[in-house]
Structures are given as structure tokens and as C-alpha cells.
Amino acid sequence: MAALTELSSAELRELHAQLTADYAALVERGLSLDITRGKPSAEQLDLSNALLTLPGEGNYRDAAGTDLRNYGNPQGLPGLRAIFSDVLRVPVPQLLALGSSSLTIMHDVVVHALLHGLPESERPWSREETVSFICPVPGYDRHFAITEHLGIRMIPVAMTDAGPDVAQVERLLAEDPTIRGMWCVPVHSNPTGAVYTEEVARALVSLPAASDFRIFWDNAYAVHHLTDDVPEPIDILSLAAEAGNPDRVFVFASTSKVTYAGAGVAFFGSSPENVSWYLSHAAVQSIGPDKLNQLRHVQFLKDEAGVKAHMLRHRALIEPKFTAVSEVFERRLSPYGAGSWTTPTGGYFVSLDVHDGCAERAVALAAQAGIAVTPAGSTYPYHRDPRDANIRIAPTMPSLAELVDALEGMCTAILLAEVEQLLG
Ligand code: PLP
């Protein structure tokens, strides 16, 4: 089979007639499938159901005998911080276990910086005429939503397989003094699955930048591997300190996709100075986190080996779904040169690029056929994908059969959108 771009007009018209018929049959099926968001499936959530009976009556004290039903301990339980300290490469005293959403912490950190400034800031960020963030693209829509919502200008930078394009970041930092932050998902990035190399990480913490420039190192997928090729965690705080920028990095993570999404435990880690800064503001917001939830997580996960074993059970459930994505795309899109996609070694997403100018139409066609996909453009700041090419696929939530149905329908929609475009 020849690539779409090599077909004659007559061949394209013939294919268009076939795809139109396939699409009509698809719509006729009245599907209702959803591959929009990176949510764990019910089977994945079941893996953590022991949490529902923990900590158990009479079992609410920590090793020191403290009654965890009460207020206090703004840093969170040391036992839980110890479990995640090594994989996040944040020393326990600098790692806080907080509420149930890392996204909330990221949002609040930006708000604190806007209202009060960081320790090195000349003034609160909100008193600067413009504050800008570097946004690797394609990236995580909810990161971009935080910065957009809070009036921060977003500057896209291309992602590579090794992390953001460092030369572009360097040039921007040198040229633009309004840049105060950068979003990063260093391991199994959302949505490309890229894993930052240590070389890229070292460059990011070393580049000349404003003294209150911060890297938002969102290590959401630190333990979410799909192969045996597990990347060595990057000790980003030590790299930053070695580069003479010890306060440059804020580390975030959570157990949303380890235990329960939105009902797990979120972490914040940074330099001692940044942690004090954060705690000084957090103390006004809260008299302490939900330590009972933290305690049940300690009892359930036990130690780092417990986390690893648990994540292997997740992998067993979701690896076939990622394999299905590659299999369907390879079979349906490859013969026509209709798209290219990532094959992640972990995380929750596949990033698919279709022909320029076709993503929005393909997603709309899929939606009309009852297949909900993340809106085209979502992976870019302001929902503006300059090529209108990127589509994020989130395969974990539906059953394997539903996923394959959704992907097959999606491929029909993509091919139809592309043939329509070529026929002009
Ligand atoms: N960070 C990234 C990169 C994510 O992909 C997600 C969820 O999809 C989150 C954060 C959400 O984290 P939480 O549930 O801890 O707020």
C-alpha cells in the first residue's frame, strides 16, 4: 500500500468512498468510548483495595506513639517520606508528604510566588509586568492550565526524546528576563513518554537564569515503568547544588497512579531553603495534612520494594493496552504513512502526530462517532498546536476490547480527515 501523499487523485477518491462508508458504519454502531484522560482502570484501583480497611481501629499511632488522628506534623509522616525518598532522590528532611494532589501543590506554589515572591525575588511575581514559563511541547494540559489561569505567559519549547531542547531553553533564558519557571515531567513525560537524560537535567540546572527561576520537576511517573529497562533516577537537587543553583528545583510527585487517583498522597521536595519557604506559606493554609491517609499508605506499601512490586502489578494490567496502541496504529496507519507515534517505556500516554492540519478534524470525527479523545491542541499552551497535528492517547482506563474498538474508530477518523485534506 502506498502512502496517502503518493496516491493519485483517482486512488484518493476511491479510498475516500471506502473510508466514508467505514465511517458511516462506525457512527451507526453508536459507540460511547472514552480515551481522553490518563486515569487508572477499575482493575488497577482494585490493586489497592486493602487501603479501604486500613489503618484499622486502634491502629492510628506512628512509631513514636503520636496520635495521627489529630492536627500537626506539617511535613508529613517520616515513614512515608522514607519510602519515596530514594526513588525521588530527595533526602527525607527535604521531602514533604502533604495532601492528595500534587497538582494542588504546584498551583499553590505558583500562587505563593505570585503573592509573596520566592526568597530571592526582588518583589512578588505578580508585581512584575510579565512573568513567563517555559513549556516543553507537547506537554501536560493541566500544567498549562495552571499558568494560563494565573496570568503567566507561556513559551513553548520543543521536546526531544532526551527531554526539552536545551539549546532553545538556553537561548530563551539568555534573551528573556521575564522567564521565572519551567514545567518538566522528567520520567515517562506526559504525553510523549520521553525520559530526560542526566545530561539534559544537568544543563537545565546549570544555565544562567534569573535567581528566582524555578524548574517545576513534576516526577508524576517516577515508578510507573512498562519495561524492565528502568531509568536510573536523576538526583536533580544535587545536580542543581553542584551547578551553584541549589534552590532552582521544586520536585513534585504523588501516589495518584500508584494507589488511588485523587485519594493518594502528594509530595513536595526541594532545597532546605525552599522547603522552609513553602512551609511558611503552607502553615497559613493548613494545620497539617491527612496523616491517617499517609499511615495507611505506609502500612499498605511498606517500603520501596513494596512500591516496586505493586507497580509491577499495574504494569501487568496496562502493558497489553500500550501494546494494543502500537499494534493498531502499525496496522492501520503505517501502510498509509498516516501518522507517527511514541512507544513509551512507562507513564500513561502515547503521543500521536497525524498529518499537519488534520488533528482537530480527526478528533471531531471520532467524537461524532462516540469516541472521546483529548481535544486536539490540548498538549500545547493556550490549546494552540501550530501544526494541528498532535493527539494524546490515554489507553489505561477502558477495557482492552473497548480500547481496541476506540483505536480502530480513531484510525478511521484520522484516515478520513487526511484523505479529505488531500482531496482539498
Ligand atoms: N502531573 C502529571 C504529569 C500528570 O500526568 C498528572 C495526572 O495525569 C498529575 C500531575 C496529577 O497529579 P495529582 O493527582 O497528584 O494531582
Side-chain angles (χ1 to χ4, degrees), residues 188-314:
H188 309 312
S189 196
N190 178 350
T192 69
V195 179
Y196 288 29
T197 59
E198 187 162 312
E199 198 186 342
V200 165
R202 196 183 290 279
L204 294 177
V205 294
S206 308
L207 293 172
S211 59
D212 57 351
F213 168 70
R214 291 292 185 273
I215 293 172
F216 286 62
W217 189 258
D218 178 3
N219 212 345
Y221 300 107
V223 294
H224 306 59
H225 312 300
L226 286 167
T227 71
D228 295 335
D229 184 17
V230 172
E232 182 64 17
I234 293 177
D235 187 348
I236 192 71
L237 295 180
S238 295
L239 291 182
E242 279 164 28
N245 297 309
D247 302 317
R248 182 169 287 191
V249 184
F250 293 141
V251 177
F252 305 90
S254 80
T255 70
S256 273
K257 287 160 189 176
V258 175
T259 55
Y260 288 154
V265 180
F267 299 92
F268 172 77
S270 195
S271 65
E273 169 118 46
N274 282 337
V275 170
S276 303
W277 171 84
Y278 174 79
L279 284 173
S280 73
H281 296 296
V284 182
Q285 283 186 294
S286 161
I287 319 175
D290 177 352
K291 295 178 301 300
L292 290 175
N293 189 33
Q294 297 186 4
L295 177 64
R296 63 184 185 148
H297 275 77
V298 175
Q299 292 170 349
F300 176 59
L301 296 169
K302 294 191 173 66
D303 50 26
E304 204 185 329
V307 175
K308 275 195 188 132
H310 185 68
M311 295 315 292
L312 283 177
R313 291 189 275 274
H314 278 284

Side-chain angles (χ1 to χ4, degrees), residues 1 4 18 38 50-51 61 66 123 146 169 173 241 243 352 359 365:
M1 222 171 293
L4 294 180
Q18 177 61 50
L51 281 175
R61 292 180 192 275
T66 311
R123 57 188 85 83
I146 289 177
V169 175
L173 285 171
L352 167 69
L365 283 169

Side-chain angles (χ1 to χ4, degrees), residues 36-37 135-145 148 154 156 190-191 350-364 373-393 410:
T36 46
R37 299 241 55 107
C135 301
V137 291
Y140 179 35
D141 56 346
R142 291 188 190 274
H143 283 163
F144 303 156
E148 181 170 6
M154 294 182 281
N190 178 350
V350 172
S351 178
L352 167 69
D353 280 332
V354 298
H355 288 187
D356 286 9
C358 291
E360 206 172 313
R361 175 71 177 147
V363 168
V373 183
T374 314
S378 298
T379 52
Y380 282 75
Y382 311 106
H383 295 265
R384 265 184 242 135
D385 173 358
R387 288 174 45 207
D388 183 25
N390 189 249
I391 299 174
R392 185 181 81 166
I393 306 292
M410 187 69 217

Side-chain angles (χ1 to χ4, degrees), residues 293-350:
N293 189 33
Q294 297 186 4
L295 177 64
R296 63 184 185 148
H297 275 77
V298 175
Q299 292 170 349
F300 176 59
L301 296 169
K302 294 191 173 66
D303 50 26
E304 204 185 329
V307 175
K308 275 195 188 132
H310 185 68
M311 295 315 292
L312 283 177
R313 291 189 275 274
H314 278 284
R315 174 179 158 185
L317 292 172
I318 64 177
E319 199 183 337
K321 297 182 181 178
F322 281 85
T323 306
V325 176
S326 294
E327 191 276 317
V328 174
F329 285 170
E330 190 62 46
R331 178 166 44 75
R332 295 285 312 277
L333 301 181
S334 280
Y336 293 107
S340 59
W341 58 94
T342 56
T343 319
T345 54
Y348 264 61
F349 304 99
V350 172

